Amino acid sequence: NAGVMQNPRHLVRRRGQEARLRCSPMKGHSHVYWYRQLPEEGLKFMVYLQKENIIDESGMPKERFSAEFPKEGPSILRIQQVVRGDSAAYFCAGGLASYNEQFFGPGTRLTVL
Amino acid sequence: AQTVTQSQPEMSVQEAETVTLSCTYDTSESNYYLFWYKQPPSRQMILVIRQEAYKQQNATENRFSVNFQKAAKSFSLKISDSQLGDTAMYFCASGHSGAGSYQLTFGKGTKLSVIP
């Protein structure tokens, strides 16, 4: 019974490159949330997706960031033309449409040089 | 919009003693949930305890319990018989089902150190 999986766990990019972060929720869970944690801060909501739909992207920066959760495969958070300020830990949480089942992955730590 | 405030950036407690972490929140929602998450050095987010706002009874999970004061919008976490493995960042969070989204709003965290 694998938990929420995120990969890579660590990602290093140079300014201007693209970063792709993947999240596979637990089997049977069709909802994914992405959060960002800056150093010394709590997690901040970015986007909420169901299979093939973006439900709430109110926390996502308008430029350079995008997210998808295709019918098959993991959810992907994509950051284009990364800047140093994008350095953070990115967590996804998977679950069903309730608070009773929302489980966090181990996070991806993105470092932008 | 929801806000969550944790006023204690750092705390320490002797092993086997009891410690209480504070959290206040603000929301205009009538139906909401409150959570405490633990983040050890591994950075994995682990759910410690959950409270439904409509329930008056305080939630408990083994050594962990909450003091939920709805009128005061306070949600403190009590850890009894502290263990070395309790050393971690603790985040208070709130959530509601606004516009079909169950996003969580987190506080900035309290760093708890358990001293042997």
Side-chain angles (χ1 to χ4, degrees), chain B residues 20-35:
Chain B
T20 299
L21 308 183
S22 301
C23 173
T24 58
Y25 63 93
D26 192 15
T27 180
S28 57
E29 299 292 326
S30 58
N31 183 26
Y32 57 92
Y33 294 74
L34 298 165
F35 306 83

Side-chain angles (χ1 to χ4, degrees), chain A residues 46-98:
Chain A
M46 298 181 74
V47 63
Y48 164 45
L49 309 103
Q50 295 177 20
K51 287 281 188 181
E52 300 185 279
N53 285 304
I54 297 175
I55 306 301
D56 180 359
E57 55 183 348
S58 59
M60 192 98 98
K62 298 295 181 210
E63 298 178 351
R64 302 188 297 108
F65 286 73
S66 62
E68 63 177 9
F69 191 15
K71 185 176 181 181
E72 301 291 337
S75 175
I76 295 175
L77 179 67
R78 182 183 177 200
I79 311 172
Q80 295 178 292
Q81 300 175 329
V82 295
V83 300
R84 288 212 174 119
D86 297 332
S87 294
Y90 292 82
F91 290 89
C92 77
L96 301 176
S98 76

